[in-house]
Amino acid sequence: MTQQPPPYWLRDNCPCGECRDPRNGQKLFQISDLPPDLAIAASKELDGNLEVLWSDGHRSRYPLTWLHDTDEAGDGRTEQGKRLWTAADFARGIPGADWEAYLTDPAEQAAVLAAVRRSGFALLRGVPTVERQVLRVAESFGYVRVTNYGELFDVRIEPDPNNLAFTNRAITPHTDNPYRDPVPTLQLLHCLENSATGGDSGLVDGFKAAAVLRDEAPEDFETLTRTPVPFVFRDRRTELRADRPLIDVDPLGRIREVRFNNRSLGTLRADDVEAFYAAYRRFAAITLRPELRLTFRLGPGDCLVFDNTRLLHARTAFQQDGRRHLQGCYADLDALHSTLAVLHRRTAALDELAELFAGEGAGEYLGEAVTMAEHMLQAAAAAEAAGAPDHLIAAALLHDVGHFRGALRGRDLMQGQDNHHSDSGADWLARWFGPEVTEPVRLHVAAKRYLCAAEPGYRASCPPPPSTPSPFRAARWTTARRQHSPDSRAPSTRWPSAAGTSRPRSRTRPRPPSSTTARCSRH
């Protein structure tokens, strides 16, 4: 690197196991714990990492790719990284997917959620037209946000409506619940029936409208970002108020939220009301521009998911010559973003593991007649044949990844150095898997040692090593026997030696085992 990063920033982000819990990544120290004269004593770039020796003796290693990361997307809530759109951008159709495909294909689900994050909305088609199904849609990526309207609400003509949405009137572009803080950040509308004349839906990108205002009238934009507006809702059982600007920006000036609802705007009492109303009128006129409004008709089975902090939604008036019934609910963006991130993380995990098996895994397995990948696949096949649950099959498949990921590799083990591959492998896998997978990986060496010490016939049944055992391995067997007596209690589950150390002559699965802990001659 041409310039050293600031020392406290760099040390605060040390990824080592002493500084962060390897299972959850959380820091194990306070910033005040660092010495007041902290400095970089020495550093060098090696194998794609920056290795640092600190003035207090601590050592850190940082991937160069991480050091050069700019984190431009941030938390995904501002205009940065989003697609600001006009109606013409969806001339070929709006983003969406079939409900069944969304449920069964992680790639389809990720595409839908990514569309909500980037464009502000997506449409699911073929959602069963049964009441309360909108809740199932929300629960497919997050949690339902309960409000004074309940866990869901019916959008249809009501005899005594407490909201104009429950009439057949036209509704101009607006965001929902601006009188609530925090505001529900996601809204879902599921069409159960729509046979009335009229009642077409409309969406306006509020971030785009705000960006247009910023370009055309910067002073008006500034007025709307710095003027808190009282949004109010009252009925017989509820009274809500939130004082927030129509356009909210982050500390860097990027548009982060739009609250726009003329029906809920209370009486503003401010020093420069005239300037506010001039800016308010200009912004309102922009939101009504035909080129900004995407109009479409929801049919039975359509479920619209949209960002309530960004998109303004509207509808045309409709006649009472047919029925129009939508059910809606609220949810929040943080859960949607979380689900999307986990989907991407799983994809990345599968890609990285596939690369590992095809790359380093294709190498020899510590002098045996099988590759490391073949050995781990045999262990997983044995677990599957034994009827093990999915998490133990995954653990069997990945139990030896620590030979690749530790500070010491598998060859170091053969030379008499303990590479602690069970711990390093479990810590590395904790990025993607929970303890139901990582802890069997962490304990598989200890389990083998116990069985060798506690069951006289077990060690004899293990495949013999291809060469003379190292002094390290011999000492370890002796220690295990001293620590465990034959009457000690331990889990009785273990795989047989189906996960062997000789290359199979055919593609048939190893013989079904009679018990459940993977054996491996290199432990």
Side-chain angles (χ1 to χ4, degrees):
M1 298 178 65
T2 57
Q3 184 177 2
Q4 292 284 9
Y8 285 101
W9 174 85
L10 192 62
R11 179 63 173 273
D12 190 42
N13 286 283
C14 178
C16 81
E18 295 180 19
C19 293
R20 290 178 181 268
D21 188 305
R23 296 172 182 82
N24 54 44
Q26 294 182 347
K27 293 177 185 174
L28 301 174
F29 66 95
Q30 300 293 327
I31 190 66
S32 56
D33 295 336
L34 300 179
D37 55 351
L38 182 70
I40 296 175
S43 66
K44 64 179 179 180
E45 293 184 14
L46 182 66
D47 297 331
N49 295 289
L50 176 67
E51 297 188 354
V52 176
L53 173 63
W54 295 96
S55 54
D56 62 353
H58 187 74
R59 292 181 180 273
S60 303
R61 184 168 62 177
Y62 306 89
L64 294 177
T65 53
W66 173 83
L67 286 168
H68 297 145
D69 188 3
T70 58
D71 192 27
E72 293 181 355
D75 64 2
R77 297 289 292 273
T78 73
E79 62 182 307
Q80 186 171 3
K82 295 189 182 296
R83 177 194 188 192
L84 306 191
W85 52 263
T86 65
D89 293 324
F90 298 105
R92 294 186 177 182
I94 59 180
D98 177 78
W99 172 242
E100 286 301 321
Y102 168 86
L103 286 179
T104 57
D105 185 350
E108 282 290 300
Q109 185 181 20
V112 168
L113 302 184
V116 177
R117 180 183 173 106
R118 183 166 182 258
S119 298
F121 75 104
L123 183 67
L124 289 169
R125 305 177 184 86
V127 178
T129 53
V130 295
E131 295 202 9
R132 303 180 63 83
Q133 186 67 26
V134 67
L135 303 178
R136 306 288 83 79
V137 178
E139 290 165 352
S140 71
F141 60 77
Y143 307 92
V144 174
R145 171 85 174 270
V146 180
T147 70
N148 58 295
Y149 299 109
E151 62 178 350
L152 61 76
F153 50 88
D154 291 282
V155 183
R156 60 187 173 190
I157 296 177
E158 299 287 355
D160 185 22
N162 66 348
N163 193 304
L164 288 177
F166 308 140
T167 70
N168 66 334
R169 290 173 175 264
I171 303 295
T172 55
H174 66 284
T175 62
D176 267 20
N177 287 215
Y179 39 76
R180 200 183 302 277
D181 194 19
V183 68
T185 51
L186 278 177
Q187 184 168 351
L188 293 81
L189 290 172
H190 177 215
C191 181
L192 297 176
E193 190 173 359
N194 194 6
S195 58
T197 302
D200 292 342
S201 299
L203 293 174
V204 174
D205 187 347
F207 281 15
K208 176 66 174 180
V212 170
L213 178 67
R214 181 174 55 196
D215 292 341
E216 296 182 357
E219 292 183 0
D220 288 344
F221 178 85
E222 290 297 322
T223 295
L224 296 188
T225 63
R226 66 172 182 259
T227 306
V229 175
F231 291 102
V232 180
F233 176 85
R234 296 184 183 93
D235 67 7
R236 290 189 296 271
R237 300 179 302 167
T238 308
E239 183 156 345
L240 298 168
R241 172 170 171 163
D243 291 12
R244 300 294 301 166
L246 268 66
I247 303 172
D248 196 11
V249 296
D250 74 355
L252 299 179
R254 300 173 298 191
I255 301 167
R256 184 175 179 86
E257 182 177 285
V258 171
R259 297 194 188 209
F260 193 87
N261 192 318
N262 65 299
R263 290 173 284 136
S264 303
L265 196 148
T267 301
L268 175 65
R269 303 184 188 279
D271 294 335
D272 198 350
V273 173
E274 187 173 356
F276 169 79
Y277 270 92
Y280 177 30
R281 284 172 54 82
R282 186 186 295 271
F283 187 43
I286 291 173
T287 67
L288 295 176
R289 291 181 183 178
E291 65 270 20
L292 294 187
R293 180 162 170 170
L294 176 65
T295 301
F296 53 95
R297 185 174 181 83
L298 290 176
D302 290 342
C303 186
L304 182 67
V305 183
F306 60 95
D307 183 344
N308 188 50
T309 68
R310 172 185 174 185
L311 292 196
L312 285 59
H313 62 288
R315 74 152 187 250
T316 62
F318 60 93
Q319 300 177 19
Q320 299 187 47
D321 57 353
R323 289 176 54 84
R324 185 180 190 272
H325 183 194
L326 279 62
Q327 282 194 326
C329 72
Y330 299 113
D332 284 302
L333 280 167
D334 57 355
L336 183 145
H337 289 178
S338 172
T339 299
L340 179 60
V342 170
L343 286 169
H344 286 164
R345 191 169 65 193
R346 287 173 179 170
T347 300
L350 291 174
D351 290 344
E352 189 164 350
L353 290 171
E355 183 179 342
L356 182 69
F357 271 67
E360 293 178 89
E364 63 174 336
Y365 174 48
L366 311 180
E368 304 287 2
V370 294
T371 67
M372 182 68 77
E374 288 171 335
H375 167 71
M376 292 192 291
L377 286 167
Q378 289 173 0
E384 184 178 32
D390 289 346
H391 64 275
L392 286 183
I393 296 173
L397 177 67
L398 303 170
H399 73 281
D400 269 349
V401 295
H403 282 312
F404 306 132
R405 293 297 165 182
L408 300 173
R409 300 303 175 94
R411 280 294 168 189
D412 299 303
L413 178 67
M414 297 300 294
Q415 295 169 5
Q417 293 180 276
D418 190 351
N419 67 358
H420 300 288
H421 74 282
S422 58
D423 288 320
S424 60
D427 292 345
W428 183 70
L429 291 170
R431 297 185 297 167
W432 304 309
F433 299 97
E436 68 277 5
V437 172
T438 61
E439 294 318 289
V441 171
R442 189 183 307 278
L443 295 172
H444 81 275
V445 173
K448 172 101 179 200
R449 294 179 188 174
Y450 171 83
L451 291 172
C452 286
E455 297 187 11
Y458 180 85
R459 185 182 178 187
S461 70
C462 293
S467 58
T468 303
S470 67
F472 166 75
R473 186 185 300 110
R476 194 165 58 180
W477 295 132
T478 302
T479 301
R481 288 187 178 278
R482 289 173 179 170
Q483 290 177 342
H484 302 286
S485 63
D487 59 349
S488 298
R489 296 186 179 273
S492 61
T493 56
R494 51 181 179 264
W495 313 122
S497 56
T501 53
S502 61
R503 190 180 306 276
R505 296 184 180 275
S506 68
R507 295 183 180 273
T508 57
R509 182 171 293 170
R511 290 182 297 109
S514 57
S515 50
T516 54
T517 298
R519 295 189 177 180
C520 146
S521 67
R522 290 291 153 242
H523 302 317

